[in-house]
């Protein structure tokens, strides 16, 4: 087990190096001069050159790459062109807000998807299965921006139950923070919950048809014991994989959700950086989001190995 953990963790190093290299190259193969993109078409050549010199963009590309990579290893991504604030500090200020939103959305999706998936499998082809299946299809069919807009219109504007836009730190007003958090959390978690529901139902149906489950029933075990002690653990393996992939996709969904609800997280920072043509901040935000995606997948792989020992031995 320890060898498996060490091997999978070490594999992250070349992967992150490849991600960092790709992010650096993508930002430098964009057509046009970065200084012109930052200052606009009306800027003079002297002003453009001054900006590029200040950012170190006049140096050879390999030198820039080594310098940028060394800065990342020292947790230094440079300063924002717009605010002159350290980019790493801005990212670390906003990262916990995005993590909080995504973690609660994933928790909502699990609490919504796993029990309903089990229930649909147990009541296969019954009325309850049809209702749950229809709910999952509706959840999958609606994009985040549609769900978010509907929630704002109904629960924010019509009923007035929740505040639909803004942010309050929990240490300032915990109740206000929760009211602001619920709608974006539900918006982000609906699609993932529908995927988890369908995967849980499908996996449970497959496991319940296996011989060892029939043997457990033939031994006289209660249906609850068969279901939760023998079937559920094996059925959760593909669900864990899907959850990991869906958590990674939450990063993409968070871009829209944070923008709709004016939630000042990492995705909002990335959008503002792109709009303001803040070249170093954009580069730093993309790298951090990519790193978060790699980390999430690493955790999923490790959990998969814990749930299924055959993965570790292979």
């Amino acid at each position: 087990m320890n060898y498996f953990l060490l091997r999978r963790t070490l594999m992250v190093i070349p992967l992150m190096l490849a991600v960092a290299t790709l992010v650096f190259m993508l930002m430098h193969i964009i057509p046009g001069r970065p200084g012109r993109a930052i200052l606009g078409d009306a800027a003079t050549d002297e002003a453009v050159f001054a900006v590029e010199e200040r950012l170190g963009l006049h140096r050879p590309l390999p030198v820039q790459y080594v310098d940028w990579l060394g800065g990342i290893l020292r947790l230094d991504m440079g300063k924002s062109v717009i605010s002159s604030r350290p980019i790493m500090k801005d990212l670390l200020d906003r990262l916990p807000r995005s993590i909080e939103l995504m973690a609660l959305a994933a928790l909502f999706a699990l609490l919504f998807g796993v029990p309903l998936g089990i229930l649909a499998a147990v009541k296969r082809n019954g009325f309850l299965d049809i209702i749950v299946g229809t709910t999952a299809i509706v959840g999958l069919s609606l994009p985040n921006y549609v769900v978010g807009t509907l929630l704002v219109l109904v629960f924010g504007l019509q009923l007035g139950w929740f505040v639909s836009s803004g942010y309050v730190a929990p240490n300032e007003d915990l109740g206000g923070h929760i009211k602001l958090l619920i709608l974006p959390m539900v918006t982000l978690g609906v699609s993932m919950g529908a995927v988890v529901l369908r995967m849980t139902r499908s996996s449970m149906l497959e496991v319940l048809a296996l011989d060892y489950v029939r043997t457990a029933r033939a031994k006289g075990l209660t249906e609850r014991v068969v279901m939760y002690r023998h079937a559920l653990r094996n059925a959760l393996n593909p669900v864990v994989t899907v959850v990991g992939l869906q958590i990674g996709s939450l990063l993409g969904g968070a871009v829209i959700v944070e923008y709709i609800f004016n939630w000042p997280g990492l995705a909002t920072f990335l959008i503002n950086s792109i709009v303001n043509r803040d070249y170093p901040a954009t580069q730093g935000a993309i790298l951090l989001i990519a790193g978060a995606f790699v980390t999430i997948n690493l955790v999923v792989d490790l959990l998969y190995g814990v749930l299924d020992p055959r993965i570790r031995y292979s």
Side-chain angles (χ1 to χ4, degrees):
M1 183 63 184
N2 291 334
Y3 175 72
F4 170 75
L5 294 176
L6 179 63
R7 186 184 58 177
R8 282 298 295 116
T9 305
L10 289 178
M11 287 174 63
V12 171
I13 296 175
L15 183 59
M16 281 304 302
L17 182 62
V19 169
T21 304
L22 183 62
V23 170
F24 179 83
M25 295 305 297
L26 285 176
M27 295 302 294
H28 282 80
I29 62 175
I30 297 175
R33 298 179 61 179
R36 180 71 65 187
I38 293 170
L39 296 178
D41 295 334
T44 62
D45 290 339
E46 290 76 13
V48 170
F49 181 77
V51 167
E52 293 180 350
E53 188 176 28
R54 180 160 60 88
L55 296 176
L57 300 177
H58 63 294
R59 299 172 298 169
L61 205 58
V63 176
Q64 293 183 47
Y65 174 69
V66 172
D67 188 45
W68 180 69
L69 208 57
I72 291 174
L73 294 177
R74 299 190 305 273
L75 301 180
D76 180 11
M77 292 185 176
K79 293 184 178 181
S80 165
V81 175
I82 304 300
S83 65
S84 298
R85 287 165 50 88
I87 295 170
M88 180 60 76
K89 185 177 186 309
D90 280 345
L91 291 175
L92 293 180
D93 285 344
R94 289 170 174 264
L95 183 61
R97 300 168 190 166
S98 292
I99 290 177
E100 178 190 23
L101 179 60
M102 289 189 295
L104 291 177
L107 180 63
F108 168 78
L110 289 174
L111 293 176
F112 166 72
V114 173
L116 287 181
I118 296 173
L119 192 61
V122 173
K123 305 293 183 183
R124 181 183 183 184
N125 296 330
F127 177 73
L128 195 58
D129 185 23
I130 295 174
I131 296 295
V132 171
T134 305
T135 304
I137 292 174
V138 172
L140 282 173
S141 304
L142 295 177
N144 283 337
Y145 62 87
V146 174
V147 177
T149 304
L150 290 175
L151 291 178
V152 169
L153 289 174
V154 176
F155 296 102
L157 299 180
Q158 295 293 328
L159 300 177
W161 291 355
F162 303 103
V163 183
S164 57
S165 177
Y167 177 82
V168 176
N171 58 344
E172 295 176 2
D173 181 5
L174 182 59
H177 179 77
I178 294 174
K179 283 185 177 180
L180 286 164
L181 182 60
I182 289 177
L183 292 185
M185 176 193 72
V186 173
T187 302
L188 198 56
V190 164
S191 177
M192 178 179 173
V195 173
V196 171
L197 190 160
R198 288 171 62 91
M199 179 54 69
T200 303
R201 178 186 180 278
S202 173
S203 183
M204 280 294 291
L205 287 176
E206 184 178 343
V207 170
L208 289 174
L210 296 178
D211 290 340
Y212 76 89
V213 173
R214 285 196 290 270
T215 302
R217 284 173 172 155
K219 288 165 60 180
L221 298 178
T222 64
E223 191 63 22
R224 179 181 294 273
V225 172
V226 172
M227 192 68 61
Y228 293 102
R229 185 177 298 175
H230 295 274
L232 185 57
R233 176 167 180 169
N234 290 327
L236 283 180
N237 285 343
V239 177
V240 169
T241 304
V242 167
V243 167
L245 295 174
Q246 287 297 312
I247 289 177
S249 70
L250 287 181
L251 289 166
V255 174
I256 298 173
V257 173
E258 288 186 6
Y259 186 76
I260 291 175
F261 293 96
N262 196 23
W263 188 265
L266 196 60
T268 310
F269 179 83
L270 175 60
I271 292 176
N272 291 335
S273 299
I274 294 173
V275 171
N276 294 324
R277 301 177 179 179
D278 195 339
Y279 177 79
T282 303
Q283 192 170 255
I286 293 175
L287 180 62
L288 187 60
I289 291 174
F293 190 84
V294 170
T295 304
I296 290 169
N297 279 279
L298 171 65
V299 173
V300 171
D301 281 353
L302 297 180
L303 284 176
Y304 203 47
V306 171
L307 290 172
D308 188 350
R310 293 172 298 178
I311 302 298
R312 300 200 299 265
Y313 299 140
S314 64

